[in-house]
Amino acid sequence: MNKYDSRRDFDGQARLLLITSIAAVVGAFSTVTADLLLHAIRFFTNLFFFQKFSTVLTSPATHTLGAWVIAVPVVGGVIVGLIARYGAEAVRGHGIPEAIEAILFKKSTMSPKVALLKPLASGIAIGSGGPFGAEGPIIMTGGAVGSLIAQHFHLSAAERKALLVAGATAGMTAVFGTPIAAVLLAVELLLFELRPRSLAPVAIACAVAGFLRPLLIESGPLFPLHTEALPPSALLSCLIAGVLCGMLAWLLSTSLYRVEDAFHKLPVHWMWWPAIGGLAVGIGGYLQPRALGVGYDVIADLLNNHMAAAAIVSLLVVKAVIWLLALGSGTSGGVLAPLLMIGAGLGAVLGPWLPGGEPAVWPLVFMAATLGGMMRAPVMAVVFAFELTHDANALLPVLATATVAYAFTVATMNRSILTEKIARRGHHIYREYGIDPMERHSVAEVMTSTVDSIDAEALINDVVHTHFHAHPRHRAYPVVRDGALVGMLERAGLDSKPGALRVGELFGVNVPIVAMADETCRALASRLAVHGVGRLPVVADMQSRRLIGIVSTSDLMKPALGLHGEELERQTVRRVRFFGKPGADIG
């Protein structure tokens, strides 16, 4: 091993244990918050549709209001609009884009208002018949819990992000009982990195939520299912299904933002938009009562093929329309449950026509693939489907179909349903990421080891003649005494100094800014930018300050450009041949 290479596989994690311990507490709080949100949805469902104070799980489809049901979502929309306008506008939307925006552009800070008003607004919106799921609101609410706890302890932005995402994914775990899928949601959608400092807290928070869920909500899979393994001939059906799910994701995402654009053209304040969306929900709910609310019971019926094809088509059309209109109006609600229902319904209708396998598996396959294509998170969707059903036989067809749907949407859509909303607020999100080559390489790998230095005992007159003539090679040179760095000498100001003065006498006892051989190129590039210099001497250690090299900004960019060894020399030769005589380097 190189004697200068003391790097680790991961960055220093001095506070990892502390942040992970706090994340465990965040996971517990988020689980309780998820339970409260689910009880709020049940409470408002009973209040709006049955005029009673109860948190018993009841489907709004069993109401006896008749045509008066049309007014219920309108009332809910009015209340949500008032909460958004006079409480916190951040309660609008389906939660995940707002969480991403807070992570990337607001230093992972959320206000206490969001933590209190988001579940209230979502409970009212869904409880009054809104065709949404609880997962989006709980992701944002759990994220707010994690952010507030991080702010209370005055943690850094990176640590706040870890706890925000820990709270968000713990909430998702509590609602669905899918801890591994929640961790993958963090990796594919929320963290924008894969580091111990964020992965460990998120995973622990989800584990805590998974252990606590049976105590507060329920145990076991949400939609238990068992299907038979598909034969190899079903691969073609998986490819067809993937394309169809990708097309469905494209249609829903495109339609949603066209609806949103239409609302922006209305000559009324946005506070009233949820009420208008609620009117559409009410009409749809009058025509198809089972389209109202979260609809987990409907998803279960679709996965188990308990509905006739004609009824499914009618329900899906109404559900999709009222979901698009309600979500486009800016009310509060999630996207996962509606996507699950629409995807499963499409699979239930088309499954009997797909060759190579039993029809029973296709609602689950279509459900997961629609989710993976819409959210651009295929691995999360595959594991999510397994944890929801515990159906291991469906893993392979779900993997193939979700991947095709994901590839289709990546090829045909510039942004997903999640990032489009953020882009419309002026923020572009680039979702491809990998290991930074500047993090992988140390200064020792890119520095110039043969250093043109100046002896501290040299006279200024001699140095000006030998190093700072009409065409100097560099703007600054390291000055050494017995191999130890004294400082960096520039041409500026030398003319005013006595020519017989020794160069070493120009420097005091202050330690000059130096680079260390074992620090990463990324870390040093940041320091160069902070100090406004383009070239630094490299020393073996701060005690001896023995000069071992010199490194410039252009050297640090070599890993990022993928240039090494002979390729660097070839590019240098080509540059000299094209431009002629090489000039002085930067710095």
Side-chain angles (χ1 to χ4, degrees):
M1 179 181 290
N2 189 304
K3 62 181 178 179
Y4 302 122
D5 198 346
S6 60
R7 293 172 293 171
R8 304 168 53 171
D9 288 347
F10 298 100
D11 193 11
Q13 308 292 335
R15 291 163 59 90
L16 181 59
L17 182 60
L18 171 64
I19 303 305
T20 304
S21 301
I22 298 175
V25 178
V26 170
F29 273 107
S30 293
T31 305
V32 174
T33 303
D35 185 49
L36 292 175
L37 175 59
L38 294 177
H39 276 80
I41 293 173
R42 295 170 186 173
F43 172 81
F44 286 114
T45 299
N46 283 285
L47 180 63
F48 279 113
F49 288 95
F50 304 98
Q51 297 77 56
K52 62 181 181 180
F53 297 97
S54 173
T55 58
V56 174
L57 179 60
T58 309
S59 172
T62 60
H63 70 84
T64 57
L65 296 175
W68 284 105
V69 73
I70 297 174
V72 173
V74 177
V75 174
V78 170
I79 298 173
V80 171
L82 291 171
I83 293 174
R85 182 171 183 181
Y86 298 107
E89 189 177 347
V91 304
R92 304 174 69 209
H94 46 96
I96 300 179
E98 289 74 20
I100 294 174
E101 187 174 27
I103 290 167
L104 292 180
F105 306 109
K106 297 180 181 179
K107 298 182 179 181
S108 300
T109 57
M110 288 188 177
S111 69
K113 280 186 176 182
V114 173
L116 292 173
L117 296 180
K118 182 66 177 180
L120 175 62
S122 300
I124 293 172
I126 300 172
S128 62
F132 308 113
E135 66 291 324
I138 193 55
I139 283 175
M140 188 172 183
T141 305
V145 170
S147 175
L148 291 174
I149 292 177
Q151 292 174 61
H152 174 75
F153 288 104
H154 305 289
L155 302 181
S156 67
E159 293 165 341
R160 285 198 305 270
K161 177 179 72 172
L163 293 184
L164 186 156
V165 178
T169 51
M172 175 181 169
T173 299
V175 171
F176 287 112
T178 55
I180 302 175
V183 173
L184 291 173
L185 177 79
V187 172
E188 291 190 289
L189 283 179
L190 299 176
L191 287 175
F192 294 90
E193 67 177 27
L194 186 57
R195 300 187 181 196
R197 70 177 187 182
S198 53
L199 182 61
V202 168
I204 289 298
C206 291
V208 169
F211 277 111
L212 293 180
R213 181 175 182 264
L215 303 179
L216 297 176
I217 303 174
E218 62 179 319
S219 60
L222 194 60
F223 307 116
L225 187 69
H226 176 75
T227 60
E228 298 300 324
L230 295 184
S233 58
L235 178 59
L236 177 61
S237 295
C238 292
L239 301 180
I240 296 172
V243 173
L244 292 175
C245 290
M247 293 172 65
L248 176 62
W250 176 88
L251 177 63
L252 291 175
S253 183
T254 303
S255 300
L256 172 62
Y257 288 103
R258 288 184 178 176
V259 170
E260 191 173 289
D261 291 339
F263 271 99
H264 279 279
K265 296 177 182 178
L266 293 178
V268 294
H269 193 277
W270 58 259
M271 181 185 74
W272 302 108
W273 295 355
I276 298 173
L279 178 61
V281 172
I283 295 173
Y286 177 70
L287 298 174
Q288 275 287 345
R290 299 197 76 184
L292 294 171
V294 177
Y296 290 157
D297 58 329
V298 179
I299 297 173
D301 286 345
L302 291 170
L303 290 176
N304 289 280
N305 288 280
H306 290 168
M307 296 180 64
I312 295 174
V313 172
S314 175
L315 175 61
L316 291 186
V317 171
V318 172
K319 184 75 174 185
V321 170
I322 65 174
W323 174 65
L324 291 171
L325 291 173
L327 193 60
S329 71
T331 191
S332 182
V335 300
L336 265 67
L339 289 178
L340 298 181
M341 183 186 296
I342 295 170
L346 183 64
V349 172
L350 298 180
W353 302 93
L354 292 174
E358 60 167 342
V361 75
W362 296 113
L364 176 59
V365 170
F366 273 73
M367 180 183 81
T370 301
L371 180 65
M374 181 72 87
M375 302 185 72
R376 309 279 184 87
V379 181
M380 181 276 294
V382 173
V383 178
F384 187 65
F386 173 72
E387 290 186 296
L388 282 178
T389 63
H390 287 192
D391 187 359
N393 287 332
L395 275 173
L396 192 57
V398 166
L399 174 63
T401 309
T403 303
V404 173
Y406 164 72
F408 182 92
T409 58
V410 168
T412 59
M413 298 167 58
N414 290 336
R415 289 179 286 267
S416 72
I417 191 174
L418 306 178
T419 56
E420 177 69 27
K421 180 178 288 291
I422 302 172
R424 288 170 174 239
R425 295 172 182 167
H427 301 299
H428 173 66
I429 296 178
Y430 186 69
R431 285 188 53 192
E432 288 189 11
Y433 60 93
I435 297 176
D436 186 349
M438 294 182 69
E439 293 278 9
R440 291 193 295 111
H441 292 275
S442 68
V443 171
E445 295 176 81
V446 299
M447 70 180 186
T448 300
S449 300
T450 304
V451 185
D452 189 359
S453 60
I454 299 174
D455 190 274
E457 299 302 315
L459 301 178
I460 289 180
N461 274 340
D462 296 336
V463 170
V464 170
H465 177 72
T466 57
H467 290 79
F468 294 110
H469 44 74
H471 299 288
R473 292 185 58 196
H474 308 295
R475 195 172 68 186
Y477 294 86
V479 177
V480 296
R481 179 180 288 114
D482 298 327
L485 180 70
V486 176
M488 291 291 288
L489 182 66
E490 296 185 0
R491 177 70 172 83
L494 288 183
D495 291 336
S496 61
K497 305 293 182 182
L501 189 68
R502 300 189 185 279
V503 172
E505 297 179 46
L506 298 177
F507 301 94
V509 296
N510 293 332
V511 178
I513 303 172
V514 297
M516 305 300 295
D518 60 351
E519 69 179 313
T520 66
C521 293
R522 171 63 63 196
L524 183 57
S526 300
R527 290 208 292 123
L528 289 176
V530 169
H531 293 290
V533 296
R535 197 163 179 263
L536 281 180
V538 184
V539 298
D541 55 76
M542 292 304 297
Q543 287 72 34
S544 66
R545 281 191 270 171
R546 181 170 60 86
L547 183 67
I548 59 174
I550 197 85
V551 63
S552 66
T553 305
S554 58
D555 293 330
L556 296 178
M557 291 303 296
K558 293 173 185 176
L561 297 174
L563 306 177
H564 299 90
E566 295 180 0
E567 176 62 20
L568 281 171
E569 295 180 7
R570 284 195 295 270
Q571 294 224 6
T572 301
V573 170
R574 286 197 294 268
R575 186 169 60 250
V576 170
R577 288 175 178 172
F578 184 82
F579 290 104
K581 181 179 179 180
D585 62 29
I586 62 173

